[in-house]
Amino acid sequence: MTQERIILGIDPGTIVMGYGVLTIEDRKPRLITMGVLKLDKLEDHYLRLRRIYERMLALIDEYLPDELAIDAPFFGKNVQSMLKLGRAQGAAIAAALNRDIPISEYAPLKIKMAITGNGQAAKEQVAGMLQHILHIPDENMLPYLDATDGLAAAFCHYLQTSRPASSGKAYSGWKDFIAKNPKKIRT
């Protein structure tokens, strides 16, 4: 019997928040949805935080994710921007905590590296790779790269948590491998 997992990925923002939802069936990821929450019409920062929290709860209630993967804020030069971004991330995390969903944070560099193999990849490269890997038709791609950034967080989490389980054996070198696996060595 296969177990389905649903991962909600979030790219937090105070103007545009991106999200993507993946389902994993038989170790194969498939896009459920992706989108953005536009917050630019709300002038008050605190109203934006409330909207993020409410929308996150709605996404969680609609898609019932098993896990949340969120893009961790990077360190920028503008302290005020960083504080606002951190608050947006906190509002999203609080919603997940409210629904008892495990949370994993990933640095933007790690997400880009997992998707493209290049930690300095452009958002367009990340979107293109996700479109290719997940077989997303052109008409389902959104003009906002925040959506694919949210999806990238979910896909990165899938990659990080779906590796085959370790056999529990660790080897310090060839001699150690041979000593622990005498039947695998042919003479």
Side-chain angles (χ1 to χ4, degrees):
M1 183 174 151
T2 61
Q3 185 176 356
E4 178 191 49
R5 285 172 57 201
I6 298 175
I7 304 169
L8 171 59
I10 297 294
D11 178 38
T14 56
I15 304 299
V16 179
M17 180 187 86
Y19 64 88
V21 183
L22 283 179
T23 183
I24 315 301
E25 296 172 6
D26 295 326
R27 298 180 59 93
K28 293 179 186 134
R30 183 178 53 81
L31 172 69
I32 295 177
T33 191
M34 65 177 159
V36 294
L37 170 61
K38 294 186 205 175
L39 302 156
D40 55 342
K41 292 189 174 142
L42 295 171
E43 294 291 325
D44 187 289
H45 180 67
Y46 299 108
L47 291 178
R48 289 179 183 180
L49 295 176
R50 182 173 77 186
R51 183 71 180 116
I52 290 168
Y53 181 81
E54 290 170 348
R55 183 65 177 122
M56 282 293 302
L57 286 177
L59 285 169
I60 290 166
D61 291 344
E62 182 175 356
Y63 296 105
L64 304 172
D66 300 295
E67 302 154 77
L68 174 78
I70 191 162
D71 195 333
F74 59 91
F75 294 102
K77 293 178 183 175
N78 186 328
V79 175
Q80 286 301 315
S81 294
M82 287 303 304
L83 284 171
K84 288 180 180 179
L85 188 58
R87 289 175 180 164
Q89 184 195 37
I93 288 172
L97 290 171
N98 185 293
R99 297 294 195 259
D100 295 320
I101 297 173
I103 301 154
S104 297
E105 285 185 79
Y106 297 97
L109 185 106
K110 184 170 188 107
I111 293 171
K112 291 176 180 183
M113 181 65 86
I115 307 300
T116 68
N118 175 6
Q120 302 302 317
K123 289 176 174 275
E124 293 81 4
Q125 289 173 294
V126 172
M129 283 300 292
L130 287 170
Q131 183 178 13
H132 175 73
I133 294 167
L134 297 171
H135 310 289
I136 304 170
D138 287 339
E139 60 270 13
N140 291 4
M141 294 299 289
L142 302 175
Y144 293 94
L145 294 174
D146 307 83
T148 47
D149 284 351
L151 182 60
F155 193 79
C156 175
H157 182 68
Y158 156 72
L159 292 173
Q160 296 298 311
T161 59
S162 296
R163 294 188 176 133
S166 169
S167 65
K169 294 182 181 178
Y171 308 106
S172 61
W174 281 110
K175 287 182 182 178
D176 188 35
F177 174 82
I178 292 168
K180 291 179 180 174
N181 296 283
K183 292 181 182 178
K184 291 183 180 181
I185 309 302
R186 296 179 198 200
T187 54

